[in-house]
mmCIF file of all heavy atoms in Angstrom:
data_model
loop_
_atom_site.group_PDB
_atom_site.id
_atom_site.type_symbol
_atom_site.label_atom_id
_atom_site.label_comp_id
_atom_site.label_asym_id
_atom_site.label_seq_id
_atom_site.Cartn_x
_atom_site.Cartn_y
_atom_site.Cartn_z
ATOM 1 N N GLY A 153 -7.469 -3.010 17.467
ATOM 2 C CA GLY A 153 -8.902 -2.780 17.273
ATOM 3 C C GLY A 153 -9.378 -1.487 17.923
ATOM 4 O O GLY A 153 -8.639 -0.510 18.074
ATOM 5 N N HIS A 154 -10.636 -1.513 18.336
ATOM 6 C CA HIS A 154 -11.301 -0.315 18.825
ATOM 7 C C HIS A 154 -10.715 0.181 20.176
ATOM 8 O O HIS A 154 -10.779 1.362 20.471
ATOM 9 C CB HIS A 154 -12.797 -0.541 18.976
ATOM 10 C CG HIS A 154 -13.590 0.705 19.151
ATOM 11 N ND1 HIS A 154 -14.087 1.085 20.379
ATOM 12 C CD2 HIS A 154 -13.932 1.683 18.280
ATOM 13 C CE1 HIS A 154 -14.706 2.247 20.276
ATOM 14 N NE2 HIS A 154 -14.619 2.600 18.987
ATOM 15 N N ASP A 155 -10.114 -0.702 20.950
ATOM 16 C CA ASP A 155 -9.485 -0.300 22.206
ATOM 17 C C ASP A 155 -8.381 0.745 22.004
ATOM 18 O O ASP A 155 -8.163 1.545 22.887
ATOM 19 C CB ASP A 155 -8.900 -1.566 22.909
ATOM 20 C CG ASP A 155 -8.087 -1.187 24.132
ATOM 21 O OD1 ASP A 155 -8.550 -0.349 24.955
ATOM 22 O OD2 ASP A 155 -6.979 -1.742 24.305
ATOM 23 N N TRP A 156 -7.755 0.743 20.848
ATOM 24 C CA TRP A 156 -6.655 1.652 20.598
ATOM 25 C C TRP A 156 -7.081 2.773 19.642
ATOM 26 O O TRP A 156 -6.270 3.611 19.269
ATOM 27 C CB TRP A 156 -5.489 0.817 19.983
ATOM 28 C CG TRP A 156 -4.150 1.368 20.180
ATOM 29 C CD1 TRP A 156 -3.394 1.362 21.302
ATOM 30 C CD2 TRP A 156 -3.332 2.013 19.173
ATOM 31 N NE1 TRP A 156 -2.155 1.944 21.055
ATOM 32 C CE2 TRP A 156 -2.108 2.352 19.765
ATOM 33 C CE3 TRP A 156 -3.529 2.327 17.812
ATOM 34 C CZ2 TRP A 156 -1.089 3.000 19.057
ATOM 35 C CZ3 TRP A 156 -2.515 2.943 17.135
ATOM 36 C CH2 TRP A 156 -1.306 3.295 17.756
ATOM 37 N N TYR A 157 -8.327 2.769 19.245
ATOM 38 C CA TYR A 157 -8.847 3.746 18.276
ATOM 39 C C TYR A 157 -8.847 5.149 18.857
ATOM 40 O O TYR A 157 -9.188 5.393 19.990
ATOM 41 C CB TYR A 157 -10.268 3.377 17.900
ATOM 42 C CG TYR A 157 -11.030 4.360 17.064
ATOM 43 C CD1 TYR A 157 -10.626 4.651 15.762
ATOM 44 C CD2 TYR A 157 -12.139 5.042 17.553
ATOM 45 C CE1 TYR A 157 -11.329 5.560 14.992
ATOM 46 C CE2 TYR A 157 -12.836 5.952 16.785
ATOM 47 C CZ TYR A 157 -12.427 6.188 15.518
ATOM 48 O OH TYR A 157 -13.116 7.105 14.747
ATOM 49 N N SER A 158 -8.426 6.114 18.037
ATOM 50 C CA SER A 158 -8.386 7.542 18.425
ATOM 51 C C SER A 158 -8.846 8.366 17.247
ATOM 52 O O SER A 158 -8.123 8.586 16.295
ATOM 53 C CB SER A 158 -6.964 7.940 18.851
ATOM 54 O OG SER A 158 -6.970 9.286 19.293
ATOM 55 N N PRO A 159 -10.061 8.910 17.302
ATOM 56 C CA PRO A 159 -10.596 9.713 16.209
ATOM 57 C C PRO A 159 -10.009 11.092 16.139
ATOM 58 O O PRO A 159 -10.249 11.816 15.157
ATOM 59 C CB PRO A 159 -12.099 9.755 16.485
ATOM 60 C CG PRO A 159 -12.209 9.672 17.968
ATOM 61 C CD PRO A 159 -11.068 8.761 18.392
ATOM 62 N N VAL A 160 -9.212 11.513 17.135
ATOM 63 C CA VAL A 160 -8.679 12.878 17.128
ATOM 64 C C VAL A 160 -7.171 12.830 17.287
ATOM 65 O O VAL A 160 -6.577 11.951 17.926
ATOM 66 C CB VAL A 160 -9.305 13.750 18.257
ATOM 67 C CG1 VAL A 160 -10.767 13.904 18.037
ATOM 68 C CG2 VAL A 160 -8.999 13.193 19.636
ATOM 69 N N THR A 161 -6.527 13.837 16.742
ATOM 70 C CA THR A 161 -5.104 14.125 16.868
ATOM 71 C C THR A 161 -4.217 12.882 16.865
ATOM 72 O O THR A 161 -4.293 12.107 15.936
ATOM 73 C CB THR A 161 -4.782 15.030 18.045
ATOM 74 O OG1 THR A 161 -5.174 14.373 19.259
ATOM 75 C CG2 THR A 161 -5.517 16.334 17.929
ATOM 76 N N SER A 162 -3.388 12.687 17.882
ATOM 77 C CA SER A 162 -2.446 11.564 18.018
ATOM 78 C C SER A 162 -1.204 11.812 17.187
ATOM 79 O O SER A 162 -1.087 12.849 16.519
ATOM 80 C CB SER A 162 -3.110 10.247 17.653
ATOM 81 O OG SER A 162 -4.274 10.068 18.454
ATOM 82 N N LEU A 163 -0.212 10.870 17.270
ATOM 83 C CA LEU A 163 1.085 11.196 16.692
ATOM 84 C C LEU A 163 1.886 9.938 16.429
ATOM 85 O O LEU A 163 1.811 8.964 17.176
ATOM 86 C CB LEU A 163 1.823 12.063 17.716
ATOM 87 C CG LEU A 163 3.265 12.459 17.445
ATOM 88 C CD1 LEU A 163 3.435 13.903 17.765
ATOM 89 C CD2 LEU A 163 4.225 11.630 18.236
ATOM 90 N N VAL A 164 2.677 9.981 15.364
ATOM 91 C CA VAL A 164 3.714 9.015 15.081
ATOM 92 C C VAL A 164 4.953 9.825 14.726
ATOM 93 O O VAL A 164 4.914 10.734 13.909
ATOM 94 C CB VAL A 164 3.386 8.103 13.897
ATOM 95 C CG1 VAL A 164 4.539 7.176 13.572
ATOM 96 C CG2 VAL A 164 2.148 7.241 14.224
ATOM 97 N N GLU A 165 6.099 9.515 15.392
ATOM 98 C CA GLU A 165 7.323 10.254 15.125
ATOM 99 C C GLU A 165 8.533 9.306 15.238
ATOM 100 O O GLU A 165 8.655 8.621 16.216
ATOM 101 C CB GLU A 165 7.465 11.431 16.095
ATOM 102 C CG GLU A 165 8.641 12.296 15.797
ATOM 103 C CD GLU A 165 8.733 13.522 16.701
ATOM 104 O OE1 GLU A 165 8.029 13.586 17.739
ATOM 105 O OE2 GLU A 165 9.507 14.430 16.376
ATOM 106 N N TYR A 166 9.365 9.394 14.257
ATOM 107 C CA TYR A 166 10.606 8.625 14.290
ATOM 108 C C TYR A 166 11.639 9.336 15.195
ATOM 109 O O TYR A 166 11.793 10.578 15.104
ATOM 110 C CB TYR A 166 11.209 8.501 12.877
ATOM 111 C CG TYR A 166 12.529 7.819 12.862
ATOM 112 C CD1 TYR A 166 12.667 6.461 13.073
ATOM 113 C CD2 TYR A 166 13.707 8.546 12.648
ATOM 114 C CE1 TYR A 166 13.877 5.819 13.078
ATOM 115 C CE2 TYR A 166 14.946 7.915 12.642
ATOM 116 C CZ TYR A 166 15.026 6.592 12.884
ATOM 117 O OH TYR A 166 16.265 5.985 12.872
ATOM 118 N N GLU A 167 12.277 8.574 16.048
ATOM 119 C CA GLU A 167 13.316 9.124 16.957
ATOM 120 C C GLU A 167 14.681 8.669 16.475
ATOM 121 O O GLU A 167 15.041 7.509 16.662
ATOM 122 C CB GLU A 167 13.031 8.649 18.404
ATOM 123 C CG GLU A 167 11.741 9.173 18.971
ATOM 124 C CD GLU A 167 11.691 10.689 19.025
ATOM 125 O OE1 GLU A 167 12.632 11.288 19.585
ATOM 126 O OE2 GLU A 167 10.720 11.271 18.539
ATOM 127 N N ASN A 168 15.388 9.558 15.834
ATOM 128 C CA ASN A 168 16.687 9.238 15.228
ATOM 129 C C ASN A 168 17.712 8.752 16.238
ATOM 130 O O ASN A 168 18.442 7.805 15.964
ATOM 131 C CB ASN A 168 17.196 10.445 14.428
ATOM 132 C CG ASN A 168 18.369 10.105 13.563
ATOM 133 O OD1 ASN A 168 18.311 9.127 12.834
ATOM 134 N ND2 ASN A 168 19.438 10.909 13.658
ATOM 135 N N ASP A 169 17.767 9.389 17.416
ATOM 136 C CA ASP A 169 18.792 9.012 18.378
ATOM 137 C C ASP A 169 18.641 7.609 18.946
ATOM 138 O O ASP A 169 19.588 7.037 19.459
ATOM 139 C CB ASP A 169 18.830 10.061 19.532
ATOM 140 C CG ASP A 169 17.554 10.133 20.334
ATOM 141 O OD1 ASP A 169 16.443 9.789 19.788
ATOM 142 O OD2 ASP A 169 17.596 10.526 21.508
ATOM 143 N N LYS A 170 17.446 7.046 18.835
ATOM 144 C CA LYS A 170 17.207 5.683 19.340
ATOM 145 C C LYS A 170 16.839 4.686 18.230
ATOM 146 O O LYS A 170 16.642 3.548 18.513
ATOM 147 C CB LYS A 170 16.068 5.696 20.357
ATOM 148 C CG LYS A 170 16.356 6.499 21.599
ATOM 149 C CD LYS A 170 15.162 6.394 22.540
ATOM 150 C CE LYS A 170 15.025 7.620 23.397
ATOM 151 N NZ LYS A 170 14.510 8.782 22.749
ATOM 152 N N ASP A 171 16.772 5.177 16.966
ATOM 153 C CA ASP A 171 16.295 4.372 15.832
ATOM 154 C C ASP A 171 15.005 3.679 16.241
ATOM 155 O O ASP A 171 14.838 2.461 16.149
ATOM 156 C CB ASP A 171 17.364 3.333 15.405
ATOM 157 C CG ASP A 171 17.048 2.747 14.028
ATOM 158 O OD1 ASP A 171 16.389 3.429 13.189
ATOM 159 O OD2 ASP A 171 17.449 1.623 13.791
ATOM 160 N N SER A 172 14.046 4.514 16.743
ATOM 161 C CA SER A 172 12.784 3.965 17.196
ATOM 162 C C SER A 172 11.636 4.828 16.691
ATOM 163 O O SER A 172 11.802 5.930 16.182
ATOM 164 C CB SER A 172 12.762 3.933 18.734
ATOM 165 O OG SER A 172 12.759 5.225 19.263
ATOM 166 N N VAL A 173 10.423 4.294 16.832
ATOM 167 C CA VAL A 173 9.220 4.983 16.429
ATOM 168 C C VAL A 173 8.335 5.171 17.681
ATOM 169 O O VAL A 173 8.016 4.225 18.390
ATOM 170 C CB VAL A 173 8.440 4.169 15.360
ATOM 171 C CG1 VAL A 173 7.153 4.895 14.982
ATOM 172 C CG2 VAL A 173 9.323 3.913 14.153
ATOM 173 N N PHE A 174 7.998 6.433 17.919
ATOM 174 C CA PHE A 174 7.112 6.826 19.048
ATOM 175 C C PHE A 174 5.705 6.972 18.500
ATOM 176 O O PHE A 174 5.507 7.626 17.467
ATOM 177 C CB PHE A 174 7.631 8.171 19.592
ATOM 178 C CG PHE A 174 6.769 8.755 20.669
ATOM 179 C CD1 PHE A 174 7.017 8.433 21.981
ATOM 180 C CD2 PHE A 174 5.756 9.655 20.369
ATOM 181 C CE1 PHE A 174 6.252 9.004 23.006
ATOM 182 C CE2 PHE A 174 4.954 10.186 21.364
ATOM 183 C CZ PHE A 174 5.213 9.874 22.697
ATOM 184 N N VAL A 175 4.739 6.386 19.181
ATOM 185 C CA VAL A 175 3.349 6.436 18.746
ATOM 186 C C VAL A 175 2.474 6.821 19.960
ATOM 187 O O VAL A 175 2.624 6.216 21.027
ATOM 188 C CB VAL A 175 2.869 5.109 18.155
ATOM 189 C CG1 VAL A 175 1.437 5.232 17.613
ATOM 190 C CG2 VAL A 175 3.808 4.622 17.056
ATOM 191 N N TYR A 176 1.559 7.770 19.745
ATOM 192 C CA TYR A 176 0.676 8.206 20.805
ATOM 193 C C TYR A 176 -0.783 8.163 20.281
ATOM 194 O O TYR A 176 -1.117 8.812 19.304
ATOM 195 C CB TYR A 176 1.008 9.628 21.203
ATOM 196 C CG TYR A 176 0.035 10.268 22.202
ATOM 197 C CD1 TYR A 176 -0.105 9.720 23.459
ATOM 198 C CD2 TYR A 176 -0.697 11.384 21.878
ATOM 199 C CE1 TYR A 176 -0.974 10.293 24.393
ATOM 200 C CE2 TYR A 176 -1.584 11.962 22.775
ATOM 201 C CZ TYR A 176 -1.717 11.405 24.041
ATOM 202 O OH TYR A 176 -2.559 11.967 24.926
ATOM 203 N N SER A 177 -1.588 7.336 20.923
ATOM 204 C CA SER A 177 -3.041 7.233 20.570
ATOM 205 C C SER A 177 -3.774 8.042 21.651
ATOM 206 O O SER A 177 -3.939 7.578 22.781
ATOM 207 C CB SER A 177 -3.482 5.780 20.555
ATOM 208 O OG SER A 177 -4.836 5.730 20.182
ATOM 209 N N ALA A 178 -4.225 9.253 21.288
ATOM 210 C CA ALA A 178 -4.684 10.245 22.240
ATOM 211 C C ALA A 178 -5.968 9.890 23.003
ATOM 212 O O ALA A 178 -6.097 10.247 24.141
ATOM 213 C CB ALA A 178 -4.895 11.592 21.502
ATOM 214 N N THR A 179 -6.885 9.228 22.348
ATOM 215 C CA THR A 179 -8.170 8.937 23.041
ATOM 216 C C THR A 179 -8.461 7.451 23.027
ATOM 217 O O THR A 179 -9.611 7.030 22.854
ATOM 218 C CB THR A 179 -9.323 9.726 22.437
ATOM 219 O OG1 THR A 179 -9.400 9.450 21.033
ATOM 220 C CG2 THR A 179 -9.147 11.205 22.639
ATOM 221 N N ALA A 180 -7.458 6.622 23.232
ATOM 222 C CA ALA A 180 -7.645 5.182 23.260
ATOM 223 C C ALA A 180 -8.642 4.832 24.390
ATOM 224 O O ALA A 180 -8.771 5.567 25.356
ATOM 225 C CB ALA A 180 -6.314 4.462 23.499
ATOM 226 N N SER A 181 -9.284 3.713 24.250
ATOM 227 C CA SER A 181 -10.246 3.202 25.208
ATOM 228 C C SER A 181 -11.440 4.149 25.372
ATOM 229 O O SER A 181 -11.819 4.557 26.463
ATOM 230 C CB SER A 181 -9.624 2.988 26.602
ATOM 231 O OG SER A 181 -8.514 2.126 26.513
ATOM 232 N N LEU A 182 -12.028 4.505 24.247
ATOM 233 C CA LEU A 182 -13.175 5.436 24.242
ATOM 234 C C LEU A 182 -14.427 4.821 24.863
ATOM 235 O O LEU A 182 -15.333 5.570 25.272
ATOM 236 C CB LEU A 182 -13.490 5.879 22.807
ATOM 237 C CG LEU A 182 -12.602 7.008 22.276
ATOM 238 C CD1 LEU A 182 -12.898 7.200 20.802
ATOM 239 C CD2 LEU A 182 -12.807 8.278 23.039
ATOM 240 N N ASP A 183 -14.539 3.514 24.884
ATOM 241 C CA ASP A 183 -15.687 2.840 25.464
ATOM 242 C C ASP A 183 -15.562 2.910 26.998
ATOM 243 O O ASP A 183 -15.080 2.008 27.647
ATOM 244 C CB ASP A 183 -15.764 1.396 25.004
ATOM 245 C CG ASP A 183 -17.070 0.735 25.402
ATOM 246 O OD1 ASP A 183 -17.784 1.257 26.276
ATOM 247 O OD2 ASP A 183 -17.375 -0.340 24.828
ATOM 248 N N LEU A 184 -16.007 4.063 27.527
ATOM 249 C CA LEU A 184 -15.801 4.317 28.968
ATOM 250 C C LEU A 184 -16.473 3.313 29.894
ATOM 251 O O LEU A 184 -15.929 2.989 30.938
ATOM 252 C CB LEU A 184 -16.285 5.760 29.288
ATOM 253 C CG LEU A 184 -15.657 6.854 28.439
ATOM 254 C CD1 LEU A 184 -16.183 8.219 28.840
ATOM 255 C CD2 LEU A 184 -14.146 6.827 28.510
ATOM 256 N N LYS A 185 -17.659 2.823 29.541
ATOM 257 C CA LYS A 185 -18.318 1.809 30.358
ATOM 258 C C LYS A 185 -17.553 0.499 30.360
ATOM 259 O O LYS A 185 -17.392 -0.104 31.414
ATOM 260 C CB LYS A 185 -19.749 1.606 29.852
ATOM 261 C CG LYS A 185 -20.640 2.793 30.100
ATOM 262 C CD LYS A 185 -22.050 2.569 29.614
ATOM 263 C CE LYS A 185 -22.865 3.833 29.860
ATOM 264 N NZ LYS A 185 -24.196 3.708 29.317
ATOM 265 N N LYS A 186 -17.027 0.130 29.192
ATOM 266 C CA LYS A 186 -16.288 -1.147 29.141
ATOM 267 C C LYS A 186 -15.041 -1.071 29.973
ATOM 268 O O LYS A 186 -14.666 -2.022 30.641
ATOM 269 C CB LYS A 186 -15.905 -1.397 27.671
ATOM 270 C CG LYS A 186 -15.051 -2.628 27.464
ATOM 271 C CD LYS A 186 -14.669 -2.829 25.992
ATOM 272 C CE LYS A 186 -13.729 -3.984 25.833
ATOM 273 N NZ LYS A 186 -13.288 -4.125 24.442
ATOM 274 N N PHE A 187 -14.352 0.063 29.994
ATOM 275 C CA PHE A 187 -13.133 0.196 30.728
ATOM 276 C C PHE A 187 -13.302 0.802 32.122
ATOM 277 O O PHE A 187 -12.366 1.030 32.842
ATOM 278 C CB PHE A 187 -12.097 0.994 29.924
ATOM 279 C CG PHE A 187 -11.669 0.287 28.681
ATOM 280 C CD1 PHE A 187 -12.261 0.585 27.466
ATOM 281 C CD2 PHE A 187 -10.738 -0.728 28.758
ATOM 282 C CE1 PHE A 187 -11.891 -0.122 26.330
ATOM 283 C CE2 PHE A 187 -10.373 -1.451 27.598
ATOM 284 C CZ PHE A 187 -10.948 -1.136 26.396
ATOM 285 N N ASN A 188 -14.582 1.062 32.497
ATOM 286 C CA ASN A 188 -14.921 1.561 33.815
ATOM 287 C C ASN A 188 -14.083 2.795 34.204
ATOM 288 O O ASN A 188 -13.488 2.846 35.249
ATOM 289 C CB ASN A 188 -14.768 0.453 34.875
ATOM 290 C CG ASN A 188 -15.463 0.786 36.186
ATOM 291 O OD1 ASN A 188 -16.409 1.585 36.186
ATOM 292 N ND2 ASN A 188 -14.976 0.264 37.293
ATOM 293 N N THR A 189 -14.064 3.768 33.288
ATOM 294 C CA THR A 189 -13.296 4.981 33.514
ATOM 295 C C THR A 189 -14.187 6.190 33.204
ATOM 296 O O THR A 189 -15.215 6.068 32.588
ATOM 297 C CB THR A 189 -12.045 5.071 32.633
ATOM 298 O OG1 THR A 189 -12.445 5.058 31.264
ATOM 299 C CG2 THR A 189 -11.103 3.919 32.924
ATOM 300 N N GLU A 190 -13.733 7.353 33.632
ATOM 301 C CA GLU A 190 -14.477 8.589 33.397
ATOM 302 C C GLU A 190 -13.976 9.301 32.162
ATOM 303 O O GLU A 190 -14.605 10.280 31.718
ATOM 304 C CB GLU A 190 -14.336 9.483 34.598
ATOM 305 C CG GLU A 190 -14.986 8.899 35.838
ATOM 306 C CD GLU A 190 -14.739 9.778 37.090
ATOM 307 O OE1 GLU A 190 -14.339 10.926 36.941
ATOM 308 O OE2 GLU A 190 -14.985 9.263 38.197
ATOM 309 N N ALA A 191 -12.863 8.873 31.605
ATOM 310 C CA ALA A 191 -12.253 9.505 30.448
ATOM 311 C C ALA A 191 -11.474 8.445 29.686
ATOM 312 O O ALA A 191 -11.210 7.354 30.227
ATOM 313 C CB ALA A 191 -11.365 10.686 30.836
ATOM 314 N N PRO A 192 -11.060 8.726 28.444
ATOM 315 C CA PRO A 192 -10.252 7.755 27.723
ATOM 316 C C PRO A 192 -8.944 7.448 28.442
ATOM 317 O O PRO A 192 -8.565 8.133 29.398
ATOM 318 C CB PRO A 192 -9.975 8.471 26.382
ATOM 319 C CG PRO A 192 -11.063 9.453 26.268
ATOM 320 C CD PRO A 192 -11.400 9.906 27.646
ATOM 321 N N ASN A 193 -8.243 6.484 27.959
ATOM 322 C CA ASN A 193 -6.940 6.067 28.508
ATOM 323 C C ASN A 193 -5.888 6.164 27.385
ATOM 324 O O ASN A 193 -5.547 5.156 26.747
ATOM 325 C CB ASN A 193 -7.002 4.614 29.015
ATOM 326 C CG ASN A 193 -8.003 4.443 30.134
ATOM 327 O OD1 ASN A 193 -7.796 4.962 31.225
ATOM 328 N ND2 ASN A 193 -9.081 3.773 29.849
ATOM 329 N N PRO A 194 -5.366 7.368 27.149
ATOM 330 C CA PRO A 194 -4.357 7.502 26.079
ATOM 331 C C PRO A 194 -3.208 6.505 26.213
ATOM 332 O O PRO A 194 -2.883 6.097 27.332
ATOM 333 C CB PRO A 194 -3.846 8.960 26.288
ATOM 334 C CG PRO A 194 -4.960 9.662 26.966
ATOM 335 C CD PRO A 194 -5.588 8.608 27.859
ATOM 336 N N CYS A 195 -2.614 6.163 25.108
ATOM 337 C CA CYS A 195 -1.618 5.100 25.084
ATOM 338 C C CYS A 195 -0.360 5.612 24.391
ATOM 339 O O CYS A 195 -0.449 6.149 23.264
ATOM 340 C CB CYS A 195 -2.163 3.885 24.371
ATOM 341 S SG CYS A 195 -1.149 2.438 24.521
ATOM 342 N N ILE A 196 0.799 5.448 25.002
ATOM 343 C CA ILE A 196 2.071 5.795 24.443
ATOM 344 C C ILE A 196 2.836 4.489 24.196
ATOM 345 O O ILE A 196 2.924 3.641 25.073
ATOM 346 C CB ILE A 196 2.909 6.690 25.368
ATOM 347 C CG1 ILE A 196 2.213 8.047 25.553
ATOM 348 C CG2 ILE A 196 4.331 6.841 24.841
ATOM 349 C CD1 ILE A 196 2.873 8.926 26.629
#
C-alpha cells in the first residue's frame, strides 16, 4: 500500500549471480507524521 509508495525514481533489477530481484522504493513512508520522521524511509 501507501507505506511503500514512491512517486519518484526507484528501481527493480534482476541479479543474475544470485537469481534474485533487487527492488528499491526511494521515498517509501511519505506520510512523515504517521511514521514520526523528518524524511521518507527508503526501502531495499
Side-chain angles (χ1 to χ4, degrees):
H154 194 256
D155 172 45
W156 205 76
Y157 173 66
S158 183
V160 298
T161 62
S162 304
L163 176 135
V164 175
E165 184 175 15
Y166 175 74
E167 296 298 309
N168 191 47
D169 63 334
K170 296 182 209 75
D171 194 28
S172 67
V173 179
F174 176 89
V175 183
Y176 175 63
S177 183
T179 56
S181 305
L182 280 172
D183 188 345
L184 305 180
K185 291 180 182 176
K186 177 181 175 184
F187 294 98
N188 195 26
T189 61
E190 296 176 14
N193 298 292
C195 191
I196 294 172

